[in-house]
Each structure stands twice: as C-alpha cells, then as structure tokens.
C-alpha cells in the first residue's frame, strides 16, 4: 500500500455518527500541500543572517522522527469533521494541556476556533482510518464510539482519546499551534500506529517486553544495582 510522505491533511465534512452512536458513515480529509521550492527565513531578532531551507529535504529530515498517529475529531452544528495529525505532543499536567499542529490552509484550522474536540490515538490496525482522514477515503464506514464530554465525536477501536477545549492558539508559520485543555480522557490499550519516513512501520510484536532494555535507569533493576554498590549496602567504600 502506498502511503503519503506526510499525514498532515485538511479536514472534510463527515456524516455524523448515528444516534445512538454506532458504527456508521464518516468523512475524509484532504492531502497535505505539495512541497515547494526552497524558501528563505529571516530571523526576527539578531542572530545569523538569512538561511535557505529546502522544504523537501527538511520534510525528509523531520520524517526521520518516529511519531504516533492521531485523528482530531469535532462537531460543528450537525456536521462531524476529522483530520489526521501526527504533530501532537503533551504540554503540561497542571493544568492538563496538549498541543496539535494544524496546516493553516486546512478547514480544521479554520473551524477549530471555539468548539471542543477529541484527539484519537490510533491503533496499528487503523492505517485505513489514518489515510481516510488524510484524504484517501475508505470503502467501509468509519466506526464511531459513544460521544465524549460536550458531545464530542469519538472514533471506536482506538488506543485511547483526549477530549479538549480550546485554551490557546499560536502562530506556527504555515501551521497553527492549537493548545487544548484536557477535560476528559480514556486509555483502551493496544499497539499504537506509528509513522516514519512516509510509511507505517510495525512495532515489536510483544509490547509488554521491558521498555528499559537493561538500562541502569530501569526501576525494576534499582534494587539489584543498589545491592551491588558498596556505598548503598555498607555506607562506606
């Protein structure tokens, strides 16, 4: 299956989930803008002079950073919208804040001004859903779950989700950085969908293996390391 080099799309109107919510029809998204010619960025304050950046090469470099894949879903009136986003990060625990980056030219960026929304973390089996909301519609209907707080539409079968209300919005060049206040969340579990260099690599089959890989920072090995250290057992060298 051919996959796009970027999963950043523009949203397209979706059919709202049936009432009560059940597997039903959904909508898609739009493809990311094509890479352009090198552009020159001038620092706003001091520093070195203008730096020419080749957008295509920069995108390839940034694509070497492994990310998860999310779909941001929200409702405007009777219409449900969704957009695939891999530019997602946690920001703060107190208050609970998360951030997504939206293409400034996308419909989602224009519509997500004051309405609540959900960030759905996709599972490895939801590659079709990721492509669907990035502009390549699936043939089968999108599966929806019961709506979350504020009647925010939620995708079914995900690793989990966060329901947010708009908190701050920042200029991010050709993207807008939307910081949301988390008002609800749920973790269902399962292997997450990963995105790397334009494709969907598979993670280790057993996600329960030790994540620390024998590191000295492994909490499970702390006691063993302490008992082997003379300063911790004897209080002297």
């Amino acid at each position: 299956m051919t996959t796009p080099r970027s999963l950043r799309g523009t949203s397209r109107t979706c059919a709202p989930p049936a009432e009560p919510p059940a597997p039903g029809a959904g909508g898609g998204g739009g493809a990311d803008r094509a890479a352009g010619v090198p552009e020159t960025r001038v620092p706003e304050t001091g520093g070195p002079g203008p730096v020419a950046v080749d957008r295509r090469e920069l995108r390839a470099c940034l694509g070497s950073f492994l990310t998860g894949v999310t779909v941001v879903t929200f409702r405007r009136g009777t219409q449900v919208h969704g957009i695939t986003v891999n530019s997602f990060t946690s920001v703060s625990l107190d208050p609970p804040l998360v951030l997504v980056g939206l293409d400034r030219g996308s419909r989602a960026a224009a519509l997500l001004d004051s309405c609540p929304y959900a960030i759905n973390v996709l599972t490895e089996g939801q590659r079709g859903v990721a492509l669907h909301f990035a502009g390549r519609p699936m043939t089968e209907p999108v599966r929806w779950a019961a709506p979350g707080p504020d009647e925010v539409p939620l995708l079914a079968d995900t690793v989990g989700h966060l329901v947010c209300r708009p908190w701050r919005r920042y200029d991010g060049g050709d993207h807008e950085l939307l910081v949301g206040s988390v008002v609800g969340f749920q973790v269902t579990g399962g292997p997450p969908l990963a995105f790397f260099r334009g494709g969907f690599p598979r993670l280790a089959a057993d996600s329960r293996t030790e994540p620390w890989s024998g590191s000295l920072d492994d909490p499970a090995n702390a006691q063993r390391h302490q008992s082997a250290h003379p300063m911790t057992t004897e209080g002297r060298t």
Side-chain angles (χ1 to χ4, degrees):
M1 175 175 61
T2 303
T3 55
R5 294 188 59 82
S6 173
L7 285 178
R8 297 172 296 175
T10 56
S11 68
R12 185 167 59 188
T13 302
C14 310
E19 297 296 332
D32 191 19
R33 289 191 238 171
V37 296
E39 74 171 329
T40 300
R41 292 193 177 278
V42 181
E44 295 181 359
T45 56
V51 178
V53 177
D54 186 292
R55 296 182 183 180
R56 191 179 299 275
E57 292 183 2
L58 177 58
R59 175 177 295 182
C61 177
L62 297 176
S64 298
F65 179 63
L66 180 72
T67 70
V69 183
T70 72
V71 172
V72 177
T73 52
F74 58 99
R75 184 190 304 271
R76 289 301 296 261
T78 60
Q79 296 181 330
V80 173
H81 302 265
I83 180 172
T84 301
V85 177
N86 68 326
S87 179
F88 161 71
T89 185
S90 61
V91 175
S92 169
L93 292 178
D94 184 16
L97 303 173
V98 293
L99 178 150
V100 291
L102 301 177
D103 190 315
R104 189 178 294 278
S106 68
R107 291 179 61 189
L111 294 173
L112 266 177
D113 50 4
S114 59
C115 65
Y117 56 93
I119 302 171
N120 303 270
V121 182
L122 301 189
T123 64
E124 190 174 64
Q126 293 182 303
R127 301 183 184 193
V129 176
L131 294 174
H132 178 82
F133 286 102
R136 297 175 61 181
M138 301 186 298
T139 56
E140 63 270 23
V142 173
R143 284 176 49 82
W144 297 96
D150 297 323
E151 295 299 307
V152 175
L154 302 175
L155 291 172
D157 309 318
T158 61
V159 173
H161 64 261
L162 302 102
V163 177
C164 307
R165 291 174 184 162
W167 190 75
R168 296 287 191 277
R169 197 168 187 138
Y170 300 98
D171 179 9
D174 60 7
H175 276 60
E176 293 199 20
L177 307 181
L178 183 65
V179 179
S181 174
V182 179
V183 297
F185 64 92
Q186 183 178 16
V187 178
T188 306
L193 181 61
F195 188 68
F196 178 72
R197 292 184 177 176
F200 300 107
R202 289 188 176 276
L203 302 181
D206 186 3
S207 60
R208 295 170 296 177
T209 55
E210 292 186 10
W212 297 89
S213 302
S215 167
L216 294 179
D217 294 324
D218 187 347
N221 296 329
Q223 184 60 42
R224 186 179 71 228
H225 296 318
Q226 288 179 356
S227 61
H229 198 293
M231 283 297 293
T232 60
T233 56
E234 303 291 338
R236 62 181 183 277
T237 56

